[in-house]
Amino acid sequence: MSKPIVVGVDGSAQALRAVDWAAAEAGRRRLPLRIVHIAVRWEYSIAIQEPGLEAPRPEAAGLEVLEIAEERAQTFASVDVGCRLGIGPIPATLLQEAADAALLVLGPHGTGGFPRLLLGSVSRQAAEHASCPVVIVPQESGTRPGRSGIVVGIDGSEASVDAVGFAFEEASLRSVGLHAIHAWAHPAYPPEMRAARYDTTAVKQEGARLLSESLAGWKGQYPDVPVIEQVVEGAPAPVLADASGDAELLVVGARGRGGFPGLRLGSISHAVLHHAKGPVVVVRGLQTTSAMRE
């Protein structure tokens, strides 16, 4: 049985844009789409307007949210759409509903999000704890003029290897190219000391070698995907966030080199999610199409 692509909705405009992205991806991967809304049931109800008249139950409001999202998803041809209404704490219940998912797709923040925050608490916790890759779709999503190709950040870590595999598959599905970036920054030496203590040429050569080795096996599996390899001097998070502005999708590993083993989401991935200019997928463990259909 095929694993579904799961998209969380809460009635916000951001969530509906996530539905559009998830439905298009479900069509590309020929996977079912599951739309999930989590309702929080209060321990008491409040009378409104007049005695005896109670506020609508959260289940009723949730079903309306699901109905709107389902109508939106059904505009995409050949996508099998289902809906689920969960009851409970939002992050934990959402993760339970997505336990069997191929992908979990969310907007950056929902109806309760602060406008100046690019990443809400639910999206952040999902990216930190979900067992499947998590896609965060920003307010301006989808393929727009100027967006092309897939960007993947590579640092040689196990997590970035998983991200490379996902990025190649996504590029092949979309019939676009892949832009592989390795970003590096100088240690905290004063500029006048860097030439004496830091061989930038050697670092660039090492970055190029790392890229070549990370991509080599995948190039053979996806000969249809043209690849650009780039070593960039700069802090990884802003370099990748800037590159996302021209990409259909930015792919990063959940935790790169130097990450503490107990942390589920690395500092670079976390920063990229906050500042990316396009859709971002955080990959934790590779799931190819064949695995997604099991």
Side-chain angles (χ1 to χ4, degrees):
M1 182 177 179
S2 298
K3 294 183 176 182
I5 290 177
V6 173
V7 57
V9 296
D10 60 5
S12 66
Q14 291 92 337
L16 290 179
R17 281 186 279 270
V19 169
D20 291 342
W21 194 98
E25 187 69 6
R28 273 189 290 269
R29 293 184 177 269
R30 299 180 182 178
L31 295 175
L33 178 66
R34 180 190 300 163
I35 304 172
V36 174
H37 174 75
I38 310 301
V40 179
R41 180 178 292 163
W42 298 97
E43 296 181 359
Y44 53 87
S45 60
I46 303 174
I48 58 174
Q49 296 180 350
E50 61 184 66
L53 182 61
E54 294 184 345
R57 295 181 64 83
E59 292 92 333
L63 290 173
E64 184 176 351
V65 169
L66 287 172
E67 182 179 355
I68 293 172
E70 184 179 19
E71 290 179 359
R72 182 99 165 212
Q74 287 177 339
T75 61
F76 292 80
S78 304
V79 177
D80 179 14
V81 182
C83 295
R84 291 275 290 272
L85 178 65
I87 305 292
I90 295 177
T93 308
L94 177 63
L95 291 173
Q96 290 173 4
E97 293 289 343
D100 63 340
L103 294 174
L104 174 58
V105 184
L106 299 168
H109 55 78
T111 54
F114 295 95
R116 295 179 65 182
L117 294 180
L118 296 183
L119 190 67
S121 61
V122 173
S123 301
R124 175 180 54 80
Q125 291 185 60
E128 289 175 351
H129 299 291
S131 58
C132 64
V134 176
V135 182
I136 304 298
V137 181
Q139 294 187 21
E140 293 184 9
S141 61
T143 303
R144 71 182 187 195
R147 285 198 190 277
S148 62
I150 306 298
V151 172
V152 60
I154 298 176
D155 64 3
S157 66
E158 183 178 349
S160 79
V161 171
D162 295 334
V164 170
F166 186 98
F168 263 101
E169 182 177 33
E170 194 68 30
S172 180
L173 286 168
R174 294 168 180 253
S175 299
V176 298
L178 179 63
H179 184 185
I181 297 177
H182 172 71
W184 62 278
H186 281 287
Y189 295 128
E192 63 274 12
M193 296 178 60
R194 287 175 181 168
R197 300 188 62 105
Y198 208 66
D199 187 341
T200 57
T201 300
V203 173
K204 292 177 181 178
Q205 291 174 345
E206 175 62 18
R209 182 195 64 79
L210 185 150
L211 277 177
S212 180
E213 291 183 354
S214 298
L215 296 167
W218 295 107
K219 285 182 177 180
Q221 293 187 42
Y222 294 93
D224 59 315
V225 176
V227 180
I228 296 175
E229 302 174 35
Q230 184 180 18
V231 178
V232 181
E233 182 179 352
V239 166
L240 293 174
D242 185 62
S244 71
D246 298 323
E248 292 184 33
L249 183 66
L250 169 62
V251 185
V252 295
R255 180 168 53 85
R257 282 183 170 178
F260 294 98
L263 296 179
R264 298 280 288 172
L265 190 65
S267 60
I268 293 174
S269 304
H270 187 271
V272 166
L273 286 172
H274 274 280
H275 299 291
K277 303 170 185 177
V280 180
V281 56
V282 178
V283 180
R284 180 179 291 104
L286 180 62
Q287 296 194 35
T288 62
T289 296
S290 59
M292 288 179 179
R293 294 182 181 279
E294 292 178 358

